[in-house]
Amino acid sequence: MFFKQWIMRCRLLLLVLFSCPQILNAQQQPHAQSVFMVKPLVCIVEQLGQPCLMQAKFSWQYVSNQANAKLCIWQDQTELFCAQANGQLQHKKWSVELKTSTVFSLRFAQNIIAEQKVEVAGLQPPQYRRRLHSDWSLF
């Protein structure tokens, strides 16, 4: 009987000791949550290769322990605009020009928090060069 109680106490002590470092690490890590959306997700042009001008609506929310976090919206490697994170869902319309499919990203201090890809689609299929002879011809 004494031996069973001793084993139970040891198990309880080990459980507490192994769970404490996880609790301490969870409290030390900054708590951050983010939401990032770009609409529309597809920009349609007459034929692929033409530039696409569109009015994009950016929506983002960043909740962090750091006060006055400066968030920036990037188009591939170009910074479009920045705003202060206030923990609430924010919106902004911005005119963008796309030549190919593009990745927009939400960044905090040069670290990418979230990304959204916007595709460029053409109404007409690309023009292919017509073959003048078949593949098997020797001449």
Side-chain angles (χ1 to χ4, degrees):
M1 183 78 167
F2 175 74
F3 185 69
K4 288 183 180 180
Q5 289 178 351
W6 184 77
I7 290 177
M8 291 299 288
R9 288 181 183 168
C10 287
R11 287 182 182 171
L12 182 61
L13 179 64
L14 288 174
L15 178 66
V16 169
L17 288 176
F18 284 119
S19 65
C20 284
Q22 294 171 351
I23 293 170
L24 292 174
N25 286 340
Q27 291 174 351
Q28 292 174 353
Q29 294 175 353
H31 177 70
Q33 295 177 346
S34 63
V35 173
F36 180 61
M37 295 178 287
V38 181
K39 293 193 178 188
L41 292 176
V42 178
C43 189
I44 299 175
V45 293
E46 191 68 31
Q47 189 169 16
L48 288 176
Q50 295 176 336
C52 179
L53 297 171
M54 72 176 207
Q55 186 79 7
K57 181 181 179 184
F58 297 94
S59 302
W60 69 93
Q61 181 179 13
Y62 185 70
V63 179
S64 174
N65 293 339
Q66 298 178 351
N68 297 327
K70 181 181 173 186
L71 299 173
C72 296
I73 308 291
W74 289 65
Q75 178 182 355
D76 289 329
Q77 301 303 319
T78 306
E79 183 180 304
L80 296 178
F81 62 88
C82 294
Q84 293 294 327
N86 60 9
Q88 298 178 359
L89 188 62
Q90 297 174 288
H91 307 281
K92 184 163 187 156
K93 289 186 178 182
W94 195 265
S95 295
V96 293
E97 181 178 343
L98 308 175
K99 293 182 182 171
T100 60
S101 297
T102 303
V103 176
F104 291 96
S105 58
L106 176 67
R107 298 184 187 191
F108 171 66
Q110 300 300 324
N111 296 323
I112 297 175
I113 298 170
E115 293 182 325
Q116 180 73 55
K117 186 173 185 177
V118 176
E119 301 281 339
V120 175
L123 291 175
Q124 298 177 2
Q127 296 294 326
Y128 293 105
R129 186 174 162 202
R130 200 178 101 202
R131 296 196 106 129
L132 298 176
H133 56 83
S134 62
D135 291 336
W136 54 267
S137 177
L138 297 176
F139 304 102

